[in-house]
Structures are given as structure tokens and as C-alpha cells.
Amino acid sequence: MTTEPERSLPTASATCRARALYRDGAGELHLNWPLERLGEAIHSGAGTLWLDMENEADTPCPLAETILREVFRFHPLAVDDALKETHVPKIDDWDGYLYLVFHSSQIDPESDDLRLQELDVFLGPNYLVTYHEEPLEYLTEARKAIEADPRDRMKDGADHLLFRFLDRSVDQSLAAIEVLDERIDDVQDAVMDDLGPQTLQQIFRIKRSAIQLQKTFGPQRDVLNKLSRDPYKVVQEKHRIYFRDVYDHIVRIHDISEGLRDLIAGTLDTYLSVISNRTNEIMKTLTVVTVMFLPMSFITGFFGMNFFGGSLELDVWMPKWLLFFGSLSVMLLSPVAILAMLKRWGWF
């Protein structure tokens, strides 16, 4: 079989990188396969090629675009979807290859926000192309595992290699859910101790993360369901059972995220109930104080408290000093009597 001539590719940069690992038909692993010889590995019909491309810049990566369009000759629509983050998990069958969008999740330890990491994948008969816009921890771990055991890790083909990546991605998402569950436990404890605005903000952040997690893993569940059941040409029948295992994990994550959403909604209801109860207690206390001082207000308003030197001739029917001390006694005893009465009735 003739091989294609070496292509002139744009140079890589600090923000746009590409690395190829190739296990040839003889079982030898090439950890840094030249990008100019990608066509040779693709058209050899043997071995397994993994090309990983990363672009951390906000602008398009000329190297990645050239490789996807001219070397692999992927459909322009699939290339456009890969180079622009879609944030929607999906799978497209282009007959000779599959295009997948998959997400992993992480929890920001400082803000408790959910961070979705998109991975765009092209799966062919003997190659796997991954594209992402930030470093992915599980891909780094997978590469180190291949380097540590070069004979075993890529021998089962590109579709089995994809299974390994998706499995690691789901494990990372499960770890994120555990962190989110711990945050919910913490905020539930804080509801009874601290009712400040920070607690309310944390509740809404966790609620937003749980809703986003459920919205993401719903379509992702459909992607794994198709990989495990549909007869795609590039997925070996014996490997579908592996994708079915990942599908079970995705279903579990989706169910857990739904439970977390209900749990954080219950926490918000508890927070509002505690706030309402505290407000009722405050209003109750203020009402009791108002009632206790109501007789004082009535007496002082009625007599004006101008017993000595006033214009009223109170001595005609009662001495001024007697009226003064009588009013003072009523004003002092009435709050005590009202408080005792409220306590006896169980209102305070």
C-alpha cells in the first residue's frame, strides 16, 4: 500500500499543541509519532493511532484545523463543532468515523461552582483523535499509563482506548459529585448556625451546580446508550459491553444528581423556614413589649403628666401628689401584670 507524502503542517505553539502515539502492526509503540507521518499511520490499516490536540488560546488553532480538515479529511461541520465548544453532549455517525462530544465535571474548591470540561472525539477504524481546550487530568493519566505499559494499553484498538478515556472521565465526575454531596452536608449544618447572606449564596451555587450536572448527564446518558447498543462500524461488537458499563455509571450519576437537586431544594426550604421562624419570634417579642408599655402610654397621654404647676386644678377632688404616685404605681405594675398574664397563657 502506498503511503501519502509528508505534509507541511503549521508549527505548534505554547497554547496549541498536538501529540501522537502510534502502536504499529508489529506491536511497537511510538510515543512521539511525527505529525507529518499521520497519513501513513491512518492508511496503514494496522495498529492504533491516538492523536491528542490541546488549544488553550481563545483563537482557533491552525495546526488542529489543518490536521482535522486536510490530514483526516473530516466533514467541515464536524470540524467546526470540534473547534468551537458546543457544550452539548452528542454523537454523530459519519459512516467511516464517529464524532462525539463528552463532558467531565469538576468542583471548584473555592467557589463550589461546577466546571464542565469538554472533550471532542473522532473515532475511526484504527485511530482516535481527541481535542480539548484545557488540560484534562484523566487524559494525562491515561498517557502515563500507556507509557508505563506500552505493550498492553493500545493493543485492543481505538474503540477500547476510547472506553478507557470515558471510564476515567466518569470516575472524575463521580469524585465531583462526592465533593458536591459534602458541600450540601456543610451547608445543611450552617443553616442552623449561620443565616447570613453567604449561606444563602452557597445554597444557590450548589443548586445551580446540581441542575447543571443533571442537564449535562441526561444527553450524555444517551450518547453512552448508543455506543453500547447501536451497530457502529468503528465499534467492535465485543467492546460494546465495556461502553455498557460506562453507561451504567452515567445512569448512576444522573440519578444521584437528581437526588442532590431535591436535597439542596429541601435545604433551601429549611433555610427559609428558619428565617421565617426567627422573624416570627422577633415580631412576637416586639408585640409583647408594645403591649407591656401600652398602659403607660395611655396614662401619660390622658393626664399629660403635668401634675405640678399645670393649669388643671386637680386639688379640688384629689391631691396632686397622690394622683402622681398613683399613676406612677400603675405604670410600674401594669407591665409586670401583663407579662405574668402572658406567661400564664403560654404566649411568651
Side-chain angles (χ1 to χ4, degrees):
M1 178 181 296
T2 60
T3 60
E4 291 188 355
E6 293 185 356
R7 295 177 180 269
S8 177
L9 299 176
T11 57
S13 63
T15 58
C16 179
R17 298 177 294 274
R19 182 179 179 184
L21 282 73
Y22 177 52
R23 184 182 188 274
D24 58 26
E28 183 180 356
L29 182 65
H30 305 270
L31 296 178
N32 290 284
W33 185 256
L35 299 181
E36 293 79 9
R37 298 178 59 188
L38 288 174
E40 177 184 338
I42 297 170
H43 297 285
S44 66
T48 302
L49 172 69
W50 173 31
L51 173 65
D52 182 50
M53 296 182 292
E54 179 181 331
N55 179 29
E56 298 182 24
D58 296 332
T59 57
C61 176
L63 176 62
E65 186 172 1
T66 301
I67 291 176
L68 295 177
R69 291 183 184 273
E70 299 182 10
V71 178
F72 287 91
R73 301 185 184 279
F74 293 137
H75 196 280
L77 292 178
V79 175
D80 290 340
D81 287 344
L83 298 180
K84 300 177 182 179
E85 287 197 346
T86 60
H87 300 291
V88 178
K90 67 174 184 176
I91 180 170
D92 293 333
D93 185 6
W94 293 96
D95 194 25
Y97 59 90
L98 294 179
Y99 170 64
L100 292 84
V101 179
F102 204 81
H103 290 87
S104 59
S105 56
Q106 284 185 334
I107 299 295
D108 192 325
E110 296 182 358
S111 63
D112 291 338
D113 289 334
L114 181 71
R115 295 178 59 248
L116 295 177
Q117 299 173 312
E118 181 175 322
L119 177 67
D120 297 273
V121 180
F122 293 90
L123 174 63
N126 64 329
Y127 61 81
L128 181 67
V129 180
T130 55
Y131 178 83
H132 45 96
E133 296 189 352
E134 61 178 303
L136 299 180
E137 183 179 352
Y138 60 91
L139 288 184
T140 303
E141 294 175 354
R143 182 182 298 109
K144 291 180 180 180
I146 292 174
E147 294 174 354
D149 190 5
R151 292 184 175 273
D152 212 35
R153 295 290 178 176
M154 298 179 66
K155 69 175 183 178
D156 294 321
D159 55 344
H160 193 270
L161 188 61
L162 174 61
F163 152 72
R164 291 181 180 272
F165 294 164
L166 299 186
D167 190 43
R168 289 177 179 267
S169 172
V170 171
D171 290 341
Q172 179 177 305
S173 298
L174 282 172
I177 286 182
E178 292 178 359
V179 174
L180 194 62
D181 191 24
E182 292 176 0
R183 295 291 188 272
I184 293 178
D185 291 339
D186 294 339
V187 78
Q188 284 178 333
D189 295 336
V191 163
M192 306 308 298
D193 301 328
D194 183 13
L195 294 180
Q198 293 182 351
T199 302
L200 185 60
Q201 292 175 4
Q202 188 178 10
I203 290 175
F204 279 112
R205 282 198 301 268
I206 296 175
K207 184 178 180 180
R208 183 173 60 250
S209 298
I211 293 175
Q212 189 177 10
L213 194 68
Q214 189 179 21
K215 287 182 177 180
T216 300
F217 279 87
Q220 204 144 275
R221 178 182 56 184
D222 298 334
V223 171
L224 264 299
N225 186 38
K226 291 181 179 179
L227 275 174
S228 62
R229 300 184 186 279
D230 290 0
Y232 294 121
K233 294 181 180 180
V234 295
V235 178
Q236 302 179 55
E237 185 176 358
K238 64 180 181 180
H239 290 163
R240 291 180 192 168
I241 189 172
Y242 295 104
F243 291 107
R244 197 170 303 160
D245 180 68
V246 182
Y247 169 76
D248 292 338
H249 293 169
I250 291 289
V251 171
R252 179 187 172 195
I253 290 178
H254 185 267
D255 293 342
I256 292 177
S257 63
E258 189 172 319
L260 292 179
R261 188 187 65 174
D262 296 339
L263 193 60
I264 195 62
T267 303
L268 179 60
D269 292 340
T270 303
Y271 177 89
L272 297 178
S273 297
V274 173
I275 287 289
S276 178
N277 290 336
R278 290 197 176 185
T279 302
N280 292 338
E281 290 295 328
I282 293 173
M283 294 302 299
K284 183 178 180 180
T285 302
L286 294 177
T287 302
V288 169
V289 172
T290 302
V291 172
M292 288 173 57
F293 285 90
L294 188 61
M296 293 185 182
S297 302
F298 174 77
I299 293 175
T300 54
F302 183 80
F303 290 105
M305 303 310 294
N306 194 8
F307 296 107
F308 306 101
S311 58
L312 294 177
E313 296 297 334
L314 299 176
D315 282 334
V316 176
W317 57 280
M318 181 180 294
K320 293 181 179 180
W321 63 270
L322 182 60
L323 184 61
F324 170 75
F325 285 108
S327 300
L328 186 62
S329 300
V330 171
M331 286 189 293
L332 292 177
L333 294 177
S334 59
V336 178
I338 292 175
L339 182 61
M341 180 181 62
L342 292 178
K343 284 189 174 181
R344 183 176 180 181
W345 291 347
W347 291 4
F348 185 73

